[in-house]
């Protein structure tokens, strides 16, 4: 059998499973991001904007360099990228800051709140239509996320893995709104134009926003940082993982859309449980597993009706 015949016979299977495989790669990288961010927080450093700074500068240099080499002009007005970059920075700032107050498991599962925002935004601005079963599946997911809030509210003795878990949870929920705006804007751009332009502009405007906001929000925190080998490794790990994350996301958005992309990230919760249990030696409350079960059930209902 020739390679072309093999491809034709298996094209449908590959087309179906490749986005799922790529989604799980992105999910694992996202878990590494959460781990690096939580490690920085556990080392007593509260610099969420500075943590993202190195990501944006790497994206701007690498992908901006490719654009300069190509002598490529912008195909989408710069102000759209400015809005996407601003939303992305605020989302990263809030979710990285949430690790100062809440556990890695709560942050990663509540990050799925992005799905609800995405359904609203894609319906309003991209014309995406959802079936009643898809809405029901999303509602089940949100029911699971509500249990996380209940679990953290009950954990007044610090067993939630954070000093102020509810405050951290609120930060994450607000962050998901900014991430949903960024995801929808990025999905629109990558489906219309070149992904190199999209990633480079997110890096550029993300860098500009962080340069403006760091002196305002983190000047004292940055000055008080006591650098150690472990902290440097955490910063470098976050920058490397996030660079890979931003590189892969446009491909997944182009193939499957922002809603399925965020649904794929649900499996990062499993990695968060592993990290919390074996690295931080913290107990995971039974309500979390009920919540995760509801989220997975909602995902199955949603995906069966896609």
């Amino acid at each position: 059998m020739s390679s072309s015949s093999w491809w034709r016979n298996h094209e449908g299977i590959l087309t179906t499973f490749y986005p799922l495989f790529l989604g799980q790669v992105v999910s694992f990288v996202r878990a590494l991001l959460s781990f690096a961010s939580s490690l920085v927080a556990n080392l007593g450093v509260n610099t969420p904007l500075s943590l993202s700074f190195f990501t944006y500068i790497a994206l701007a240099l690498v992908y901006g360099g490719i654009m300069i080499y190509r002598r490529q002009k912008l195909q989408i007005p710069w102000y759209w990228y400015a809005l996407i970059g601003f939303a992305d920075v605020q989302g990263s700032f809030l979710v990285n800051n949430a690790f100062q107050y809440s556990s890695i498991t709560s942050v990663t599962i509540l990050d799925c709140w992005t799905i609800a925002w995405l359904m609203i935004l894609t319906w309003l601005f991209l014309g995406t239509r959802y079936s009643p079963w898809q809405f029901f599946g999303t509602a089940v997911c949100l029911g699971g996320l509500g249990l996380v809030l209940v679990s953290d509210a009950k954990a007044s003795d610090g067993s939630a893995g954070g000093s102020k878990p509810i405050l951290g949870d609120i930060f994450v929920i607000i962050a998901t709104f900014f991430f949903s705006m960024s995801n929808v804007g990025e999905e629109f751009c990558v489906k219309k134009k070149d992904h190199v332009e999209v990633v480079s502009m997110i890096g550029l405007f993300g860098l500009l926003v962080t340069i403006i906001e760091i002196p305002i929000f983190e000047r004292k925190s940055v000055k008080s940082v006591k650098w150690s080998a472990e902290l440097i490794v955490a910063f470098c790990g976050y920058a490397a993982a996030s660079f890979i994350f931003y590189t892969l996301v446009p491909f997944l958005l182009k193939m499957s859309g922002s809603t399925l992309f965020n649904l794929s990230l649900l499996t990062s919760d499993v990695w968060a449980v592993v990290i919390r249990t074996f690295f931080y030696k913290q107990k995971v409350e039974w309500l979390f597993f009920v919540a995760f079960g509801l989220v997975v059930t909602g995902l199955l209902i949603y995906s069966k009706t896609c």
Side-chain angles (χ1 to χ4, degrees), residues 7 27 42 87 93 108 138 183 200 212 264 277 290 305:
W7 172 259
S27 178
N42 276 272
F93 166 73
T108 51
T138 303
N183 288 165
S200 64
I212 294 171
S264 298
T277 303
V290 177
T305 54

Side-chain angles (χ1 to χ4, degrees), residues 38-172:
S38 66
L39 182 58
V40 170
N42 276 272
L43 291 172
V45 176
N46 186 12
T47 56
L49 287 169
S50 300
L51 192 60
S52 299
F53 172 81
F54 298 101
T55 299
Y56 293 124
I57 196 171
L59 294 173
L61 288 175
V62 173
Y63 287 97
I66 295 174
M67 285 191 65
I68 293 173
Y69 176 78
R70 292 178 176 178
R71 297 183 180 180
Q72 182 176 328
K73 295 182 179 179
L74 287 182
Q75 301 176 47
I76 293 177
W78 64 269
Y79 46 84
W80 289 114
Y81 290 126
L83 291 173
I84 295 173
F86 175 80
D88 195 77
V89 170
Q90 309 318 308
S92 297
F93 166 73
L94 287 166
V95 79
N96 287 334
N97 201 29
F99 285 105
Q100 299 288 331
Y101 307 102
S102 195
S103 68
I104 185 173
T105 46
S106 293
V107 172
T108 51
I109 196 169
L110 283 172
D111 200 29
C112 301
W113 206 285
T114 308
I115 297 167
W117 296 121
L118 280 170
M119 291 187 69
I120 296 172
L121 292 176
T122 53
W123 177 64
L124 289 175
F125 298 106
L126 299 184
T128 305
R129 292 294 176 260
Y130 299 96
S131 70
W133 278 106
Q134 286 174 309
F135 280 112
F136 176 68
T138 303
V140 174
C141 288
L142 292 179
L145 301 181
L147 283 181
V148 177
L149 296 176
V150 173
S151 176
D152 285 348
K154 291 174 62 178
S156 57
D157 58 351
S159 60
S163 58
K164 299 177 181 178
I166 291 298
L167 178 60
D169 294 348
I170 292 172
F171 281 166
V172 178

Side-chain angles (χ1 to χ4, degrees), residues 91-287:
S92 297
F93 166 73
L94 287 166
V95 79
N96 287 334
N97 201 29
F99 285 105
Q100 299 288 331
Y101 307 102
S102 195
S103 68
I104 185 173
T105 46
S106 293
V107 172
T108 51
I109 196 169
L110 283 172
D111 200 29
C112 301
W113 206 285
T114 308
I115 297 167
W117 296 121
L118 280 170
M119 291 187 69
I120 296 172
L121 292 176
T122 53
W123 177 64
L124 289 175
F125 298 106
L126 299 184
T128 305
R129 292 294 176 260
Y130 299 96
S131 70
W133 278 106
Q134 286 174 309
F135 280 112
F136 176 68
T138 303
V140 174
C141 288
L142 292 179
L145 301 181
L147 283 181
V148 177
L149 296 176
V150 173
S151 176
D152 285 348
K154 291 174 62 178
S156 57
D157 58 351
S159 60
S163 58
K164 299 177 181 178
I166 291 298
L167 178 60
D169 294 348
I170 292 172
F171 281 166
V172 178
I173 293 172
I174 298 173
T176 59
F177 177 72
F178 285 109
F179 279 140
S180 64
M181 293 174 61
S182 175
N183 288 165
V184 171
E186 192 174 349
E187 178 186 351
F188 175 80
C189 291
V190 297
K191 286 185 175 180
K192 298 291 183 181
K193 304 298 177 184
D194 183 21
H195 79 278
V196 172
E197 174 181 308
V198 177
V199 178
S200 64
M201 289 298 102
I202 290 176
L204 175 62
F205 285 103
L207 178 62
L208 293 176
V209 173
T210 53
I211 288 175
I212 294 171
E213 293 189 353
I214 286 174
I216 299 173
F217 298 109
E218 292 185 3
R219 182 172 56 184
K220 292 182 179 179
S221 298
V222 171
K223 288 182 178 180
S224 64
V225 172
K226 295 180 180 179
W227 293 98
S228 64
E230 190 175 12
L231 183 59
I232 292 172
V233 169
F235 264 78
C236 292
Y238 183 90
S242 56
F243 182 86
I244 296 171
F245 182 81
Y246 280 92
T247 297
L248 295 179
V249 164
F251 293 102
L252 192 56
L253 287 175
K254 194 167 187 175
M255 287 186 294
S256 58
S258 51
T259 302
L260 191 57
F261 155 64
N262 279 275
L263 289 170
S264 298
L265 295 183
L266 290 174
T267 52
S268 63
D269 303 324
V270 177
W271 295 108
V273 171
V274 173
I275 292 169
R276 181 172 174 178
T277 303
F278 293 99
F279 186 85
Y280 291 123
K281 309 296 182 182
Q282 294 175 347
K283 180 182 177 182
V284 180
E285 297 294 328
W286 65 271
L287 270 177

